[in-house]
Amino acid sequence: MSPKPPENGMEGDDEREEESEEENSEEEEEDEPRLKYQRMGGSVPTLLQSDAASCVAIAERMIALGTHSGSVHILDFLGNQVKEFIAHTAAVNDLCFDIEGEYIASCSDDGSVVISSLFTDERMKFEYHRPMKTIALDPDYVRKSSRRFVTGGLAGHLYFNVKKWIGYRDQVLHSGEGPIHSVKWRASLIAWANDAGVKVYDAANDQRVTFIERPRGSPRPELLLPHLVWQDDTVLVIGWGTSVKIVSIKSNQNKGANGTYKNIQMSSMNQVDIVASFQTTYFISGIAPFGDSLVVLAYIPVEEDGEKDFSSTIPSRQGNAQRPEVRVVTWNSDELATDALPIHGFEHYKAKDYSLAHAPFSGSSYAGGQWAAGDEPLYYIVSPKDVVIAKPRDTEDHISWLLQHGYHEKALAAVEAGQGRSELLDEVGTRYLDHLIVERKYAEAASLCPKLLRGSASAWERWIFHFAHLRQLPVLVPYIPTENPRLRDTAYEVALVALATNSSFHKDLLSIVKTWPPVIYSALPVISAIEPQLNTSSSTDALKEALAELYVIDGQYEKAFSLYADLMKPDIFDFIDNHDLHDTIREKVAQLMMIDCKRAVPLFIQHRDLISPSDVVSQLGAAKNKCDYRYFLHLYLHSLFEANPHAGRDFHDMQVELYAEYDPKMLLPFLRSSQHYTLEKAHEICVKRDLLREQVFILGRMGNAKQALAVIINNLGDIEEAIEFVSMQHDDELWEELIKQCLNKPEMVGVLLEHTVGNLDPLYIVNMVPNGLEIPRLRDRLVKIITDYRTETSLRHGCNDILKADCVNLLIKYYKEARRAICLSNEEDEFRTKRDNKNRSSQFAERSMSIRTMEVKSKVRGGTRCCMCFDPFAIHDVSIYVFFCCHAYHETCLMDSIDSIISKKKPAAPTHTQDDLSYYQYDDGDDEGEDEDGNDDARLSVCISHDLLRRGFNTNAASADFFLSERNA
């Protein structure tokens, strides 16, 4: 593959990217908000046009909104009014639902507490004659008959109201430390705040649990109310002024109180710890749990504001208040998010004009910063003329924020993690790709296409043509799918042409052509785009190879072969065989030899009817500047000579020189085998290259045997080779010349004596040796000469003995073969014979079954007669026996002969039947027919005619006629 393109595509980025990076680095990174906000609609805007909201309470299925006019409005979560209670004549200060959301309790400055059923007409009103500021119902109010609640106000008494059998009764849990500002009931624990601080009471055990002092320096409670909220059954969150404390209350512990508490009687059944405490730079107008963090409604005081600004509840006419803020903070006071709220008329409100309430939720559903589906907490920020709903941002909000702020990669990772709808991937992908294109990060955009476009064929084609319009398509091509989805042919062809027209991507083009299935595009448009570039400077080897591959796809194998040959592809020979392109190799001889001469040479020789040796030689000669053409000529001509010694006879003179240069060992066999070279030129080459044995052979062929002998003796110094050379010439004068040239060289004389046994008489050489010439190891050599002579004589005698023994053995074999005979008879005679002789002995039956029978035509040839009676043969009447000695007899004649022979040896001869024919050895296919006892007297002689001659019959003519007639037949 070609080098990876720059990250931003085929060209560099412009300056705007650098400028944008500088600007971004200067700006502070914006934190993503944790909450999203919306103003409550429905009936709320209409209600607050003529009235002002004072408090809010949240149940599982509804919302209660209290107003300054004393009304309590029951709303659904969209803000639509469901029910309205005209409960009070003054402002409603606090509202509380039971845990089931069936009862709503309210208290007011008119001194009354009203508890109303939401689903029945039940309604109870309790008069306390002093403004009541807070109320809390027993969480199990609807399930218990005691109907308990706690309430308090400016009178400073905390009333614990319980229904008994004689009616409702109030019990004062606490008094004497100023007004009761807030009370919250969770499980059996009741927490309330007065001017002194916060106290906790255990209703189940009727015991006080703990007391937490009021933060020092905080404004008076009537000016800036304390805020209490139970995070769960054991954790109480206190927000007062600018201080936040988190208290943990654990049961079944017998430990003393924390040192920060006041010295009061405490329940021995509980352990109280302040697990977190921190100060803020703002006033706390409301507080609520947020998983393992806190949501704080912050009021930002103006610097010139003093305590006097809290002395009046009347909105400021100066209009210089800041927007309230919702801050998400940890228990360690680390701020995670801060959002300013667009509250209507915020410029005129004080801190106590705002309130915060949250819908009940399970804190356990918050894990890893994410809420379980349907269990997200809802927060309601109430101002006199506005209600704003806050809830945790979901994945889609998170992704949207990331896209708005340019964090496309993080948005894509969030979508891929399955945190949002699958449809978001298309939107995120499109916006991410658009962003990268704008930033000119074409390579990065291309690498993301498989992930973002997935199986959408239309999206792929749209982006392919978009990249092509930007002239950046080459960076996208490696990622284009070939199946799942499969695109239109045009898309693939456009991609290939884009690679072909840019020389930097020619290697990519080659790789793509090799890997893409040919069926998905048409090769002709791409070929048409590439061919004009072949003779230009932009042409590369990769482009040529890619074009060759396209030719193969299109079936233009000849053009592909031409390009492969020019590119010196090693597998071109397999390509030639696979596509039968032997006719096209005529013009690419040199290239094929340079690719692989070991495969090219057999190819040229095998198809020399298509490309002649002269064509091969001429093309190799024309390529002398490109390769070692003489070596290639040597390889080709050598193989050609081995295949057909006469095919390259016109180049044998050249071949002599090539052998001498590249393979001198093969020159002598070539000189001996060829008859088509010039002896003078060959001798000149051998002399020039000092090839002595080749000179000897050439001189010998030229008839200069003496000169050749001189070269052997004087230059080679090899007397044995000289002796061999002289022996092959069969020239006595040359022997004398050899002896003369060796007489002055004692060592050669000794060697000559050793090797002349069988060729020359050693005495002749000894007589010619000058007197006084010292021959090294003469005694040993004479002994060897005598020994060799004796050995030779012994071998001759032994060979004669072997020859005689072989002759005798062959005569014996011939004698055995001549004693065999064949019985000729017709089928009727054979059947009659078998019927008559079925009761004969088993020995005769076994022999008769092995006799070869054949059907013979009744026609009798002239001159075919019995060697005894000289009558013509008629096989219809009697059987005939033919011996391998070329004599034939009637069966009756042969019986008579047997009787006469036996009668001479035995006085009384019984009547003979066909069993007596076993006296002869009929041909039964077994070579072992010799009688083991060796009794020749009981058998017929080698030739029956020999016995007949002793009785005066002349059978030579009959035997000859029979032999000739049978051979001709």
Side-chain angles (χ1 to χ4, degrees):
M1 297 291 291
S2 62
K4 184 178 179 181
E7 181 183 359
N8 298 320
M10 296 164 53
E11 299 178 359
D13 293 336
D14 55 7
E15 297 178 357
R16 65 180 179 180
E17 182 179 0
E18 299 177 0
E19 294 175 359
S20 64
E21 290 179 356
E22 293 176 0
E23 292 176 0
N24 292 336
S25 63
E26 294 175 358
E27 297 178 358
E28 294 183 1
E29 185 177 356
E30 182 179 354
D31 293 332
E32 180 182 0
R34 297 298 181 93
L35 300 171
K36 60 180 178 180
Y37 306 91
Q38 67 180 50
R39 186 169 280 106
M40 180 174 280
S43 304
V44 173
T46 304
L47 295 175
L48 298 183
Q49 281 182 358
S50 57
D51 204 347
S54 59
C55 57
V56 65
I58 314 298
E60 185 176 356
R61 294 173 290 179
M62 62 197 72
I63 303 170
L65 182 66
T67 64
H68 284 275
S69 65
S71 299
V72 177
H73 302 278
I74 305 301
L75 311 173
D76 62 16
F77 285 106
L78 297 177
N80 300 311
Q81 181 172 294
V82 177
K83 185 177 285 192
E84 179 183 5
F85 298 104
I86 308 299
H88 304 279
T89 59
V92 179
N93 292 323
D94 196 11
L95 295 168
C96 180
F97 283 102
D98 70 321
I99 196 170
E100 298 295 336
E102 295 187 12
Y103 287 87
I104 178 70
S106 60
C107 63
S108 171
D109 284 343
D110 63 1
S112 64
V113 171
V114 177
I115 301 175
S116 304
S117 173
L118 298 175
F119 303 103
T120 66
D121 294 334
E122 181 182 359
R123 182 178 181 186
M124 292 165 290
K125 185 173 182 179
F126 303 88
E127 293 288 349
Y128 292 95
H129 309 291
R130 293 291 301 271
M132 305 305 290
K133 295 298 184 181
T134 181
I135 186 171
L137 289 178
D138 183 356
D140 295 327
Y141 183 88
V142 70
R143 293 193 292 265
K144 292 183 178 181
S145 60
S146 59
R147 303 294 176 129
R148 299 180 299 178
F149 67 88
V150 292
T151 184
L154 295 182
H157 301 298
L158 180 66
Y159 296 102
F160 185 71
N161 187 287
V162 182
K163 181 181 180 181
K164 297 184 180 295
W165 66 277
I166 58 174
Y168 291 93
R169 180 182 176 184
D170 285 325
Q171 175 187 353
V172 178
L173 293 182
H174 183 74
S175 62
E177 292 184 352
I180 306 300
H181 302 289
S182 179
V183 60
K184 298 296 178 181
W185 193 337
R186 181 69 175 254
S188 64
L189 298 178
I190 301 172
W192 70 90
N194 55 23
D195 289 348
V198 177
K199 296 180 175 61
V200 179
Y201 171 79
D202 188 348
N205 298 320
D206 194 21
Q207 290 182 344
R208 293 183 183 181
V209 176
T210 188
F211 168 70
I212 299 97
E213 286 185 328
R214 170 185 167 185
R216 296 180 182 179
S218 62
R220 297 193 308 272
E222 61 270 16
L223 300 180
L224 189 59
L225 296 176
H227 300 277
L228 306 179
V229 61
W230 288 99
Q231 178 160 325
D232 54 36
D233 293 346
T234 61
V235 177
L236 176 65
V237 180
I238 304 171
W240 200 331
T242 59
S243 173
V244 176
K245 292 183 179 180
I246 301 173
V247 181
S248 173
I249 302 173
K250 298 180 181 179
S251 59
N252 299 325
Q253 300 291 337
N254 298 318
K255 294 184 179 180
N258 194 302
T260 59
Y261 304 156
K262 274 202 172 179
N263 237 339
I264 67 171
Q265 175 118 13
M266 297 181 57
S267 170
S268 61
M269 300 297 293
N270 295 283
Q271 176 187 349
V272 180
D273 294 316
I274 297 180
V275 296
S277 177
F278 59 87
Q279 295 293 123
T280 65
T281 59
Y282 46 82
F283 294 133
I284 298 172
S285 295
I287 193 167
F290 183 75
D292 53 2
S293 304
L294 299 173
V295 171
V296 180
L297 180 58
Y299 179 84
I300 311 300
V302 182
E303 293 182 0
E304 52 269 12
D305 282 353
E307 187 175 327
K308 63 179 190 296
D309 293 323
F310 296 94
S311 61
S312 175
T313 59
I314 301 176
S316 172
R317 295 185 178 180
Q318 297 178 358
N320 59 355
Q322 298 188 29
R323 295 177 183 273
E325 295 180 354
V326 174
R327 301 196 179 191
V328 180
V329 298
T330 65
W331 289 7
N332 296 325
S333 186
D334 296 330
E335 291 192 2
L336 303 179
T338 301
D339 301 313
L341 301 180
I343 300 295
H344 294 314
F346 69 89
E347 301 92 345
H348 306 286
Y349 297 143
K350 297 295 183 179
K352 64 180 299 182
D353 294 328
Y354 298 102
S355 60
L356 172 67
H358 71 282
F361 69 95
S362 173
S364 62
S365 66
Y366 181 78
Q370 298 295 328
W371 298 91
D375 199 25
E376 302 90 346
L378 296 177
Y379 301 91
Y380 294 85
I381 299 97
V382 178
S383 68
K385 292 295 182 180
D386 218 346
V387 178
V388 176
I389 304 173
K391 60 182 178 180
R393 296 171 62 87
D394 56 18
T395 302
E396 295 187 11
D397 297 322
H398 171 63
I399 294 172
S400 177
W401 185 88
L402 291 174
L403 292 175
Q404 292 175 1
H405 290 77
Y407 302 122
H408 297 85
E409 188 173 356
K410 293 181 179 179
L412 179 60
V415 175
E416 289 179 341
Q419 299 177 2
R421 295 177 290 108
S422 58
E423 295 80 2
L424 281 176
L425 182 59
D426 297 333
E427 178 184 355
V428 173
T430 301
R431 293 183 63 176
Y432 193 7
L433 292 177
D434 288 335
H435 168 73
L436 293 174
I437 294 299
V438 171
E439 296 293 327
R440 296 191 177 184
K441 297 180 179 180
Y442 303 111
E444 184 177 353
S447 65
L448 290 174
C449 282
K451 183 188 301 183
L452 302 179
L453 305 182
R454 297 173 294 169
S456 175
S458 59
W460 270 106
E461 292 174 0
R462 182 173 67 253
W463 280 102
I464 286 173
F465 290 112
H466 186 53
F467 271 81
H469 176 71
L470 297 173
R471 296 185 179 181
Q472 299 295 330
L473 185 54
V475 299
L476 180 62
V477 172
Y479 307 100
I480 296 177
T482 58
E483 59 180 358
N484 298 327
R486 177 175 171 180
L487 313 181
R488 290 179 296 172
D489 297 354
T490 307
Y492 297 112
E493 293 162 7
V494 168
L496 293 175
V497 171
L499 294 176
T501 53
N502 191 322
S503 58
S504 301
F505 293 92
H506 285 173
K507 292 183 178 180
D508 294 330
L509 172 65
L510 175 60
S511 176
I512 293 298
V513 170
K514 288 183 176 181
T515 54
W516 277 5
V519 296
I520 66 176
Y521 63 92
S522 174
L524 281 177
V526 187
I527 292 174
S528 301
I530 295 177
E531 285 179 337
Q533 302 183 51
L534 289 182
N535 298 324
T536 64
S537 58
S538 61
S539 177
T540 61
D541 289 345
L543 182 65
K544 292 179 180 179
E545 186 174 353
L547 180 58
E549 294 287 342
L550 292 170
Y551 279 144
V552 172
I553 293 172
D554 197 46
Q556 303 182 44
Y557 300 115
E558 295 81 2
K559 292 183 178 180
F561 165 76
S562 179
L563 289 174
Y564 282 144
D566 293 339
L567 293 171
M568 311 292 287
K569 302 298 292 183
D571 55 352
I572 191 172
F573 297 97
D574 295 331
F575 184 77
I576 293 171
D577 294 337
N578 293 338
H579 300 288
D580 193 18
L581 299 176
H582 303 99
D583 293 341
T584 61
I585 64 177
R586 184 179 295 106
E587 303 300 329
K588 300 295 181 180
V589 172
Q591 290 89 334
L592 294 176
M593 290 293 287
M594 287 187 285
I595 294 172
D596 190 348
C597 57
K598 294 181 179 179
R599 297 190 64 179
V601 168
L603 181 66
F604 295 147
I605 293 175
Q606 183 180 358
H607 298 88
R608 57 180 178 270
D609 55 332
L610 300 175
I611 177 169
S612 63
S614 59
D615 291 337
V616 175
V617 173
S618 61
Q619 288 194 43
L620 289 177
K624 59 183 178 181
N625 296 327
K626 300 179 181 179
C627 61
D628 189 0
Y629 78 101
R630 289 181 59 82
Y631 177 69
F632 291 154
L633 281 173
H634 163 67
L635 295 178
Y636 171 72
L637 292 175
H638 170 68
S639 298
L640 179 64
F641 181 77
E642 290 184 338
N644 187 347
H646 306 289
R649 58 180 177 271
D650 296 337
F651 307 101
H652 281 198
D653 286 335
M654 179 191 298
Q655 201 166 354
V656 171
E657 186 175 357
L658 294 175
Y659 273 125
E661 181 176 357
Y662 293 103
D663 197 357
K665 294 181 180 179
M666 293 299 298
L667 178 57
L668 186 57
F670 173 76
L671 295 174
R672 290 173 178 171
S673 302
S674 174
Q675 302 293 332
H676 305 290
Y677 59 88
T678 305
L679 295 175
E680 290 78 4
K681 292 182 179 179
H683 182 262
E684 181 180 352
I685 293 171
C686 294
V687 171
K688 182 178 180 181
R689 294 190 175 272
D690 197 22
L691 301 175
L692 300 178
R693 286 181 172 81
E694 289 75 6
Q695 294 181 38
V696 170
F697 176 78
I698 295 173
L699 290 172
R701 177 169 285 188
M702 294 172 64
N704 296 332
K706 292 184 178 181
Q707 185 178 353
L709 183 61
V711 171
I712 296 174
I713 295 175
N714 298 327
N715 298 102
L716 291 176
D718 191 344
I719 186 61
E720 295 180 3
E721 185 172 348
I723 294 171
E724 181 181 359
F725 175 76
V726 173
S727 300
M728 293 174 61
Q729 299 297 321
H730 303 290
D731 187 353
D732 295 337
E733 294 182 1
L734 201 59
W735 278 108
E736 294 181 1
E737 181 66 23
L738 174 61
I739 295 171
K740 290 180 180 179
Q741 294 192 17
C742 292
L743 290 178
N744 297 326
K745 299 175 181 178
E747 182 61 33
M748 288 189 177
V749 172
V751 176
L752 187 61
L753 289 172
E754 290 182 6
H755 293 81
T756 53
V757 177
N759 295 317
L760 194 65
D761 187 0
L763 293 178
Y764 178 75
I765 300 174
V766 172
N767 293 330
M768 295 185 65
V769 174
N771 294 329
L773 182 63
E774 294 184 3
I775 300 174
R777 298 184 290 109
L778 178 59
R779 178 180 176 181
D780 296 338
R781 286 171 172 167
L782 290 176
V783 171
K784 184 178 181 302
I785 291 172
I786 296 171
T787 302
D788 291 345
Y789 181 77
R790 290 178 178 175
T791 302
E792 182 180 358
T793 303
S794 177
L795 288 173
R796 288 180 179 178
H797 289 300
C799 291
N800 289 334
D801 294 340
I802 292 172
L803 180 60
K804 291 177 182 179
D806 289 343
C807 291
V808 171
N809 291 334
L810 290 174
L811 287 174
I812 292 173
K813 185 177 181 180
Y814 174 72
Y815 169 74
K816 292 179 180 180
E817 294 294 333
R819 293 174 59 193
R820 297 176 182 270
I822 299 174
C823 178
L824 305 178
S825 64
N826 57 16
E827 294 180 355
E828 294 179 357
D829 293 339
E830 182 183 0
F831 175 75
R832 189 182 305 112
T833 302
K834 290 182 179 179
R835 183 185 61 187
D836 295 340
N837 300 328
K838 62 182 179 179
N839 296 324
R840 294 181 180 178
S841 64
S842 59
Q843 179 180 3
F844 177 75
E846 292 177 0
R847 292 194 178 185
S848 62
M849 289 177 64
S850 65
I851 297 176
R852 293 184 182 179
T853 61
M854 64 178 65
E855 184 179 355
V856 181
K857 296 181 180 180
S858 60
K859 184 178 179 180
V860 180
R861 292 178 178 272
T864 306
R865 301 174 182 273
C866 176
C867 293
M868 289 187 178
C869 65
F870 301 102
D871 291 335
F873 292 125
I875 64 175
H876 291 289
D877 299 330
V878 66
S879 298
I880 302 171
Y881 289 90
V882 181
F883 288 85
F884 283 93
C885 60
C886 301
H887 297 102
Y889 305 92
H890 288 114
E891 181 179 6
T892 55
C893 296
L894 194 59
M895 291 294 184
D896 294 340
S897 177
I898 293 172
D899 291 339
S900 63
I901 294 174
I902 295 175
S903 63
K904 291 180 180 181
K905 295 188 177 182
K906 296 183 180 180
T911 302
H912 296 282
T913 63
Q914 195 171 359
D915 291 338
D916 296 321
L917 293 178
S918 62
Y919 179 82
Y920 300 97
Q921 289 188 347
Y922 298 105
D923 187 6
D924 55 359
D926 188 4
D927 292 339
E928 300 296 332
E930 184 179 358
D931 196 357
E932 293 180 359
D933 59 5
N935 188 4
D936 293 338
D937 294 337
R939 312 170 75 175
L940 206 61
S941 56
V942 175
C943 181
I944 299 299
S945 60
H946 175 70
D947 186 57
L948 295 176
L949 287 175
R950 290 187 298 171
R951 292 188 284 176
F953 292 97
N954 185 5
T955 62
N956 291 333
S959 299
D961 292 341
F962 176 80
F963 173 76
L964 293 175
S965 64
E966 290 299 312
R967 186 179 63 178
N968 293 333

